[in-house]
């Protein structure tokens, strides 16, 4: 259980957080969602003890980060937006080093072996980090957060900069980790929250503007122009085709799969119905659409509606 109460933080004149309160229960995956500059990283850095707050408290299993920082840090695994990896080390050396830094008491080889299996990095175990793809580096970053088997995992924008295949892999890994850990992840992508999180906490300009079960967020602000489109074919091509459709503002592929089709979340401009145009664009490229349904509102609309309130 992690409890964040009344967190405030200023950088000079910039108010980064203004009375932020939310919690995550044991085994819950909570998504901290907000646009760039909303205060997500600041909140995560405070929760993990990298930054101190001007006021407010963070407790993990009843231990306060300001009173018992060592204890809390042992309970929390953190993946910063840019994981601090050493490119000159092999994956095995790096994780062994992290194990030593965290002063893990469990038998090292067996522990690292298990983490390597969970994060699927056994194939690159003896490779230099410098030679890994961005997707594998991210997995090594997640592996280092898992060292010491912390109860709580905090991930800052875990899928930024990954390609669609890597995004799908990472999201399914996050979901698996959520079965054994309490997870807080930050993102600026609504479909990521929908794909991974049990609950969503929306932050805007340092304030919490919504805190809802994931399924309730769209209905909380009323229906709108967002579609879940199921298309067969190669992900990269489909993303390009959908993104080029007039009136479409963003397209994300979710991890949801149906035979050789994935579900794409398509957001459109306010007041535009892009369904016919999506059909024509996909038909022209001979990409079969095997499903299309309204999927609530876009992040943009959620913000508009919530800030209106
Ligand atoms: P997010 O992670 O949601 O993008 P951040 O927590 O990084 O948001 O930033 C929140 C606000 O605080 C932004 O206005 C940002 O410009 C500002 N900010 C973040 N870090 C610093 C810093 N070290 N010095 C000054 N301003 C900062």
């Amino acid at each position: 259980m992690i409890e964040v109460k009344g967190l405030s933080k200023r950088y000079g004149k910039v108010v980064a957080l203004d009375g932020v309160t939310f919690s995550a229960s044991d085994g819950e995956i909570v998504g901290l969602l907000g646009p760039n500059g909303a205060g997500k990283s600041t909140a995560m850095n405070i929760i993990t003890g990298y930054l101190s707050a001007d006021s407010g408290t963070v407790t993990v299993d009843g231990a306060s980060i300001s009173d018992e920082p060592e204890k809390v840090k042992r309970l929390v695994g953190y993946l910063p937006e840019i994981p601090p990896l050493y490119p000159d080390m092999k994956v095995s050396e790096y994780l062994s080093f992290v194990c030593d830094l965290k002063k893990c008491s469990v038998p090292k080889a067996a522990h690292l072996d298990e983490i390597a299996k969970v994060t699927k990095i056994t194939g690159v175990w003896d490779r230099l980090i410098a030679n890994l793809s961005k997707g594998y580096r991210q997995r090594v970053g997640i592996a280092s957060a898992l060292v010491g088997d912390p109860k709580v995992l905090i991930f800052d924008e875990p899928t930024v900069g990954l390609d669609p295949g890597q995004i799908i892999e990472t999201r399914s890994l996050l979901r698996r980790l959520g079965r054994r850990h309490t997870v807080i992840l930050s993102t600026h992508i609504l479909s990521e929250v929908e794909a991974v999180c049990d609950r969503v906490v929306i932050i805007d300009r340092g304030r919490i503007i919504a805190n809802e079960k994931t399924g309730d967020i769209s209905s909380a602000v009323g229906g709108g122009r967002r579609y879940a489109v199921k298309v067969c074919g190669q992900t990269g091509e489909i993303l390009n085709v959908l993104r080029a459709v007039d009136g479409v503002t963003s397209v994300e592929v979710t991890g949801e799969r149906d035979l050789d089709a994935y579900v794409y979340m398509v957001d459109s401009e306010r007041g535009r119905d892009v369904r016919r145009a999506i059909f024509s664009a996909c038909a022209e490229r001979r990409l079969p659409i095997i499903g299309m349904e309204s999927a609530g509102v876009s992040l943009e609309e959620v913000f508009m509606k919530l800030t209106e309130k």
Side-chain angles (χ1 to χ4, degrees):
M1 171 82 172
I2 173 156
E3 275 196 290
V4 174
K5 274 197 197 144
L7 277 195
S8 293
K9 176 79 184 175
R10 279 167 173 271
Y11 298 104
K13 283 188 182 151
V14 178
V15 179
L17 295 178
D18 185 7
V20 163
T21 298
F22 67 93
S23 63
S25 318
D26 289 344
E28 192 175 36
I29 308 186
V30 172
L32 192 58
L33 176 74
N36 289 327
K40 303 183 294 297
S41 297
T42 302
M44 301 210 135
N45 280 323
I46 293 173
I47 294 169
T48 50
Y50 280 78
L51 263 183
S52 58
D54 298 339
S55 59
T57 56
V58 176
T59 55
V60 179
D61 273 356
S64 147
I65 184 77
S66 49
D67 300 341
E68 300 176 86
E70 294 275 325
K71 185 173 174 192
V72 172
K73 283 179 188 173
R74 255 197 297 278
L75 289 168
V76 175
Y78 182 33
L79 176 77
E81 190 170 349
I82 299 161
L85 303 176
Y86 291 101
D88 296 339
M89 282 184 171
K90 289 179 181 173
V91 173
S92 50
E93 289 168 346
Y94 174 68
L95 291 175
S96 164
F97 170 65
V98 172
C99 231
D100 296 343
L101 274 184
K102 291 194 183 177
K103 301 194 180 95
C104 294
S105 52
V106 290
K108 191 150 116 182
H111 183 46
L112 291 184
D113 195 44
E114 191 190 339
I115 290 173
K117 282 191 187 123
V118 170
T119 52
K120 297 189 182 160
I121 52 173
T122 36
V124 297
W125 196 240
D126 289 315
R127 295 258 295 271
L128 276 182
I129 290 173
N131 299 335
L132 298 182
S133 67
K134 174 110 200 295
Y136 269 108
R137 281 187 202 192
Q138 194 70 344
R139 281 194 231 175
V140 174
I142 293 174
S144 73
L146 291 177
V147 168
D149 199 21
K151 249 183 111 166
V152 174
L153 296 171
I154 310 247
F155 297 131
D156 197 356
E157 297 273 3
T159 62
V160 155
L162 301 184
D163 70 32
Q166 294 165 340
I167 288 176
I168 289 165
E169 285 258 332
T170 305
R171 287 181 184 165
S172 89
L173 172 59
L174 295 176
R175 272 196 303 269
R176 269 184 282 132
L177 292 175
R179 291 188 209 134
R180 286 195 53 227
H181 303 262
T182 302
V183 179
I184 299 181
L185 65 90
S186 77
T187 179
H188 63 280
I189 307 164
L190 185 62
S191 62
E192 181 139 296
V193 168
E194 287 168 333
V196 178
C197 303
D198 303 312
R199 204 146 52 77
V200 54
V201 172
I202 301 186
I203 182 167
D204 181 35
R205 282 167 285 176
R207 288 169 181 251
I208 303 292
I209 55 171
N211 184 345
E212 306 269 351
K213 285 224 170 79
T214 307
D216 296 341
I217 193 71
S218 300
S219 49
V221 292
R225 303 279 179 198
R226 158 168 258 249
Y227 303 101
V229 187
K230 218 184 267 183
V231 192
C232 306
Q234 202 258 327
T235 309
E237 184 189 3
I238 294 167
L239 282 173
N240 287 338
V241 169
L242 293 175
R243 282 177 180 148
V245 169
D246 190 31
V248 166
T249 52
S250 80
V251 182
E252 294 288 337
V253 60
T254 68
E256 203 184 320
R257 189 172 192 159
D258 182 357
L259 300 176
D260 65 335
Y262 277 111
V263 174
Y264 299 81
M265 301 307 279
V266 179
D267 287 321
S268 57
E269 286 168 20
R270 278 168 84 82
R272 290 284 289 270
D273 190 336
V274 292
R275 285 174 291 182
R276 283 160 203 270
I278 288 172
F279 170 83
S280 303
C282 289
E284 208 174 283
R285 302 288 285 268
R286 303 194 70 77
L287 296 167
I289 295 176
I290 57 167
M292 182 168 354
E293 57 192 40
S294 179
V297 289
S298 66
L299 177 57
E300 207 176 22
E301 284 182 276
V302 170
F303 274 115
M304 301 281 271
K305 297 243 162 101
L306 289 171
T307 40
E308 271 165 25
K309 276 183 192 169

